[in-house]
Amino acid sequence: MRARVYSVFLLLLLLLPLKALSQDLVIEDYYATSGTGAGQYLNAVIAGDTSSAAFKAGTRVYVLHKNGIYAWNATLDFQAGSTVTIRAAYGETGHYDPTIYFYPTATGGGAPPGQMSQLASNITMRLTHLMISGYNEQVDSLLKYSNTMIMRTLSTSSNTRIYVDSCIMKTIAGQIFRTEGPVAVLKITNSTFADMGHPTSNFGAGKFVDARNVRVDTFVVQNCTFVNLYDRVIRHYQATNTNSIRNLVFDHNTIMNSMSYHGFLSLGTVDTSGTGTLQITNNLMVDHFALGMDTAAVRQVEFADPGEPDPVNLQPRMAWVLTNKNNGAKWNIQKNYFASSADGKAILALGPPNDTIYAGPFYHKQGPPYLTWNMNTVLASQSKDTVNTFTPVDAIVFGKAPGLMTNLVKWTLDKKLANKNKPSPLTTTSYWNWTYDFNRKKLEYYADTLDCSYTASVDLGHAATDGSQIGSKRWAFKGVTTGGGPASVIWNLIMPDSANPSTVVGNVTGQPISGSNFYVRSFTGAPNGPLGTTNMRWWPSNDGGVTGASWGPETGEVSNRYIQLTAAPKSGFSFVVDSVSLWSCGGGTGSMRFNVYYSTDASFATKTRLNADTVKLDNSGSVTATTRYAYKVGTTVPSGKSFYFRIYPWYEGAASNSKYVYTQLAEIKGSTILATAVRDEDLIPREPQLAQNYPNPFNPSTTFQFSITKSSNVVLEIFNILGQPVAKLVDENLSAGTYRMNFNASALSSGVYLYRLKAGDFTQTKKMVLMK
């Protein structure tokens, strides 16, 4: 359990006037053993407090501890007219803001309560410096369940005010916020929202705010980050003139990985008087509207508000920003920038004539227009720019961010969007590896690892309307990255650095064989192949290539005998490898064989074989010709990784010290592109670490987490207080990464235990308590 430091906070409490404390209730977390709320559900503690005189006084502040973990298992209704604040304690030290997990309800079945709270009329709700997840992240299997939403206003309510600042909220099946009654203020700032949508709901769910069709007087979303959405950022659909968004500020936000099933900003009816503020400015978007534009009626149906028909099928025409027709609205739409990752560009490029799947009445292209025809007309009538409301950028590169949900997007397109249903991955027990889903993360990832600081192919550091950077100001603009790299990368094996493009680095090395080395010996003779007379010979030698070492006879490849070519994108780029090829022949013999592989793992522990059958090299004779062997690869090497291409030769004939492999040219073809995301499997920990088990104390199960920075043999063992081993959880070779595993101690007795991680040269031991 996360450590908590209360002393500073308690000292401050003692120094404050008693009157100032009268409306604050400090609540201990779920795993505390004493104090108000210890061992209780947070919702139950607050529900029990609502009859107190302090609550009835109209204003109540619930203070949660830094690093504290709080459980919530029922929907909580607040009294009309109350003002409620739930926030982190001031002055406490602690790495994490208070964490609220939605636990299964008391009725069982594993499902959480549906929402955190329902708000009646005239309620003011403030949430500040909290981390909230829609399920109990301490139990991986509960990911298959998810809360429908975080907060909701009742249809019978009015004049509700919601303020959210500096929070992280994630993993909901429907929407983070849903307003079913008129709202006076919905103001959300400096926060991160992630993983909106779930396999238990359809593609029409998975939104940030669903304002239904009710009035919102003031709607502010500023300096926020959105990661992974099935549907819209805002849905305000089929609203009448009396239920309009009267003031809107959507400014300085960063949005990434949004399928945009039913759009982006569906604003319904907006201010009709011309006096309201309607501002969409300074936003940064990467892989937004990833599904592109099509004529699938199941998607088009909720683009109907503008009343503008698609010319292809007369269904509602798609656009990024949707409103009902309104000639009097005063818009401020400018300085919004967007880009697609390599994966996003590949998906958007699908369609006739490139892929017959998308032929016929269903068509798919790069993206719908930014605004409706009516909005463009209104902007033009007000002498405002209609061209640069949203501006494309060649590439935007984030520091650390999940990649686009390409499998899910492609599955959706392949089904031609016949309905809103998603593929069901819930039959698997590997809840973090659903094939058709987001690259889901836990709260700690969004608190510690997510880094939306970015570079771009244009200067966005001072491009905003206020002279600052584009996107959320919580992330830094790191400068301009130019170029896109060459279409082909070629190394002459004798001079491996003769072609060293600006965005790719590479080399060729010979590896030891049986205590000797492969040496390169140049050869000139009759022209043979693309480089004319230039050739090289790989041969084993014990004396630096003066004489040859004995080679053969052999019946197959030898694990430590290979010729390796390496290609790596420079920092900030990804290298998309299309194919590899080499021109080669046997050294004056028909007894030379080889196999070829590639890997992105430097240790080559995991590799992919390219040749279906063992290659029998042609006999070169007098080296009059070489044969080209080419193989399709189709893999992406992200920034920070390398592509390794290996040739394993062997000689079947009688032992000889004069046998060679002739190779003239090797080619690795592909392209380099600016990298916009680092995939989960490429997030290598910076240092090895063994985390404290959680929960601790525990009964009977707990979870261990550890990180290793390089491939190594890993042993995780548990010992009793006498140092005697009682369990071994891991004893195997593991690749660099972060690992979690559960341990059930039902067979052990209560007491203090030690657990130790050994990974290569790294050893760390920690203590835990089993309390039955």
Side-chain angles (χ1 to χ4, degrees):
M1 185 171 61
R2 300 175 190 156
R4 301 185 298 275
V5 178
Y6 301 135
S7 56
V8 175
F9 181 71
L10 293 174
L11 179 60
L12 291 172
L13 289 182
L14 293 173
L15 296 176
L16 291 172
L18 291 178
K19 184 177 180 181
L21 301 178
S22 61
Q23 306 305 321
D24 293 6
L25 179 63
V26 181
I27 303 176
E28 303 301 318
D29 80 0
Y30 187 72
Y31 294 97
T33 56
S34 62
T36 301
Q40 300 181 60
Y41 291 104
L42 179 58
N43 51 281
V45 178
I46 296 175
D49 179 65
T50 56
S51 60
S52 70
F55 188 91
K56 289 183 177 180
T59 300
R60 194 59 157 150
V61 178
Y62 299 103
V63 179
L64 311 184
H65 291 296
K66 296 279 282 188
N67 280 349
I69 294 181
Y70 295 83
W72 196 290
N73 78 332
T75 299
L76 185 59
D77 295 324
F78 289 101
Q79 297 178 20
S82 58
T83 297
V84 178
T85 298
I86 305 176
R87 64 168 174 83
Y90 299 144
E92 283 190 356
T93 58
H95 184 71
Y96 294 104
D97 282 331
T99 296
I100 299 175
Y101 290 138
F102 285 92
Y103 276 41
T105 62
T107 58
Q115 60 265 330
M116 180 177 183
S117 59
Q118 298 181 142
L119 304 183
S121 295
N122 298 303
I123 288 180
T124 297
M125 173 63 72
R126 299 180 185 272
L127 304 177
T128 306
H129 282 284
L130 302 174
M131 296 167 57
I132 303 176
S133 177
Y135 77 106
N136 178 10
E137 295 188 354
Q138 300 163 103
V139 182
D140 282 351
S141 61
L142 292 178
L143 178 59
K144 65 182 177 181
Y145 306 104
S146 176
N147 240 30
T148 305
M149 64 196 82
I150 302 295
M151 191 161 292
R152 173 188 186 188
T153 67
L154 296 171
S155 59
T156 55
S157 69
S158 62
N159 204 37
T160 307
R161 290 173 169 81
I162 300 174
Y163 299 88
V164 176
D165 183 67
S166 301
C167 291
I168 299 174
M169 299 183 180
K170 63 175 288 289
T171 312
I172 48 84
Q175 50 274 314
I176 302 287
F177 302 100
R178 179 176 173 128
T179 60
E180 297 182 9
V183 176
V185 177
L186 184 57
K187 184 175 182 180
I188 303 168
T189 53
N190 308 311
S191 297
T192 297
F193 304 94
D195 296 352
M196 286 155 274
H198 195 270
T200 57
S201 61
N202 63 42
F203 282 127
K207 298 176 281 291
F208 167 51
V209 172
D210 188 347
R212 304 309 291 172
N213 57 354
V214 302
R215 190 188 79 241
V216 183
D217 292 340
T218 298
F219 196 160
V220 177
V221 182
Q222 197 163 38
N223 212 33
C224 292
T225 304
F226 303 90
V227 184
N228 294 347
L229 298 90
Y230 282 162
D231 195 41
R232 287 154 283 194
V233 175
I234 295 175
R235 179 196 189 272
H236 180 242
Y237 183 56
Q238 294 183 334
T240 63
N241 288 343
T242 57
N243 289 335
S244 63
I245 297 176
R246 300 188 175 180
N247 292 279
L248 172 72
V249 177
F250 191 81
D251 175 63
H252 274 295
N253 300 297
T254 296
I255 303 105
M256 70 172 71
N257 302 345
S258 175
M259 285 180 62
S260 302
Y261 192 87
H262 285 315
F264 169 39
L265 298 177
S266 180
L267 303 179
T269 298
V270 295
D271 174 65
T272 57
S273 67
T275 60
T277 298
L278 299 169
Q279 176 183 344
I280 304 172
T281 52
N282 308 316
N283 299 292
L284 181 71
M285 295 159 285
V286 175
D287 285 332
H288 130 90
F289 231 104
L291 271 178
M293 181 183 184
D294 53 60
T295 53
V298 69
R299 286 187 69 199
Q300 289 177 294
V301 63
E302 291 210 22
F303 290 82
D305 273 347
E308 298 176 356
D310 188 299
V312 173
N313 65 353
L314 302 183
Q315 295 291 324
R317 173 179 177 262
M318 293 184 179
W320 284 8
V321 183
L322 302 174
T323 68
N324 283 312
K325 186 175 182 180
N326 184 341
N327 294 325
K330 290 186 177 178
W331 291 100
N332 177 12
I333 307 176
Q334 58 176 318
K335 302 293 186 179
N336 303 289
Y337 293 83
F338 67 95
S340 295
S341 67
D343 286 339
K345 288 175 180 176
I347 290 172
L348 293 175
L350 294 173
N354 301 316
D355 196 318
T356 56
I357 291 176
Y358 307 109
F362 178 98
Y363 78 101
H364 168 85
K365 62 182 182 180
Q366 291 204 1
Y370 314 136
L371 307 176
T372 66
W373 289 323
N374 176 252
M375 291 176 71
N376 279 315
T377 300
V378 171
L379 286 171
S381 70
Q382 298 171 0
S383 300
K384 294 180 179 177
D385 188 353
T386 60
V387 177
N388 299 308
T389 54
F390 293 85
T391 302
V393 177
D394 286 341
I396 294 169
V397 182
F398 289 123
K400 297 284 187 183
L404 180 65
M405 65 294 278
T406 53
N407 287 340
L408 182 61
V409 175
K410 289 178 179 178
W411 180 92
T412 307
L413 293 173
D414 287 347
K415 297 300 180 183
K416 299 188 179 180
L417 301 146
N419 54 53
K420 295 184 182 182
N421 295 331
K422 298 189 294 293
S424 176
L426 296 180
T427 55
T428 179
T429 57
S430 183
Y431 301 102
W432 290 92
N433 293 288
W434 291 335
T435 301
Y436 302 105
D437 194 38
F438 301 137
N439 190 349
R440 292 181 182 264
K441 308 291 184 183
K442 293 191 176 182
L443 277 169
E444 286 81 1
Y445 172 88
Y446 292 104
D448 294 338
T449 305
L450 179 69
D451 179 9
C452 293
S453 301
Y454 68 97
T455 58
S457 51
V458 297
D459 186 358
L460 299 182
H462 304 281
T465 55
D466 57 3
S468 66
Q469 70 181 54
I470 298 299
S472 172
K473 296 180 183 179
R474 296 166 58 224
W475 312 105
F477 173 71
K478 292 186 174 180
V480 176
T481 304
T482 59
S488 180
V489 181
I490 301 175
W491 287 270
N492 177 336
L493 293 189
I494 295 177
M495 298 176 290
D497 292 325
S498 62
N500 187 14
S502 61
T503 56
V504 176
V505 293
N507 58 59
V508 166
T509 56
Q511 298 297 327
I513 52 172
S514 302
S516 303
N517 287 323
F518 265 147
Y519 282 88
V520 178
R521 298 189 68 184
S522 60
F523 173 85
T524 56
N528 61 311
L531 290 186
T533 60
T534 305
N535 292 274
M536 69 175 210
R537 299 185 289 187
W538 295 98
W539 73 322
S541 173
N542 291 318
D543 54 10
V546 178
T547 61
S550 181
W551 195 1
E554 293 164 342
T555 58
E557 66 182 65
V558 179
S559 62
N560 66 342
R561 183 184 302 165
Y562 53 85
I563 303 164
Q564 176 169 297
L565 292 81
T566 304
K570 287 188 175 180
S571 179
F573 286 82
S574 290
F575 184 25
V576 183
V577 182
D578 177 69
S579 63
V580 294
S581 58
L582 67 150
W583 283 257
S584 193
C585 60
T589 177
S591 299
M592 195 67 67
R593 308 284 190 269
F594 73 69
N595 290 326
V596 291
Y597 301 84
Y598 80 86
S599 179
T600 56
D601 175 11
S603 69
F604 234 72
T606 58
K607 60 187 178 182
T608 301
R609 179 165 160 168
L610 290 171
N611 56 309
D613 300 306
T614 294
V615 175
K616 179 180 178 181
L617 284 170
D618 289 342
N619 185 352
S620 65
S622 59
V623 198
T624 57
T626 55
T627 302
R628 180 174 184 261
Y629 301 92
Y631 305 96
K632 186 75 173 175
V633 178
T635 194
T636 299
V637 185
S639 178
K641 301 282 277 188
S642 295
F643 176 81
Y644 303 95
F645 172 46
R646 284 186 181 180
I647 307 160
Y648 286 82
W650 70 90
Y651 175 52
E652 291 183 333
S656 172
N657 63 356
S658 61
K659 297 306 176 186
Y660 315 93
V661 175
Y662 285 108
T663 308
Q664 189 189 60
L665 183 79
E667 179 181 76
I668 301 177
K669 293 188 67 175
S671 60
T672 53
I673 48 90
L674 283 164
T676 60
V678 178
R679 299 177 187 276
D680 181 40
E681 58 267 27
D682 299 315
L683 297 177
I684 305 301
R686 296 178 182 176
E687 59 185 20
Q689 184 182 44
L690 175 64
Q692 185 65 48
N693 66 301
Y694 188 85
N696 183 40
F698 67 98
N699 178 29
S701 297
T702 190
T703 298
F704 298 102
Q705 178 175 308
F706 61 88
S707 300
I708 56 175
T709 58
K710 59 185 178 181
S711 297
S712 55
N713 187 69
V714 175
V715 179
L716 179 61
E717 287 185 281
I718 299 173
F719 302 86
N720 62 23
I721 199 64
L722 300 176
Q724 299 167 325
V726 296
K728 182 180 287 187
L729 303 184
V730 181
D731 186 1
E732 61 179 305
N733 285 310
L734 296 177
S735 300
T738 297
Y739 297 84
R740 292 184 185 90
M741 55 201 57
N742 294 324
F743 172 61
N744 190 309
S746 56
L748 301 179
S749 57
S750 297
V752 177
Y753 291 85
L754 303 175
Y755 59 100
R756 182 182 68 191
L757 175 73
K758 295 182 69 175
D761 298 331
F762 176 77
T763 301
Q764 190 171 6
T765 303
K766 294 201 174 212
K767 184 187 298 183
M768 64 182 182
V769 178
L770 173 59
M771 187 179 295
K772 292 188 174 180

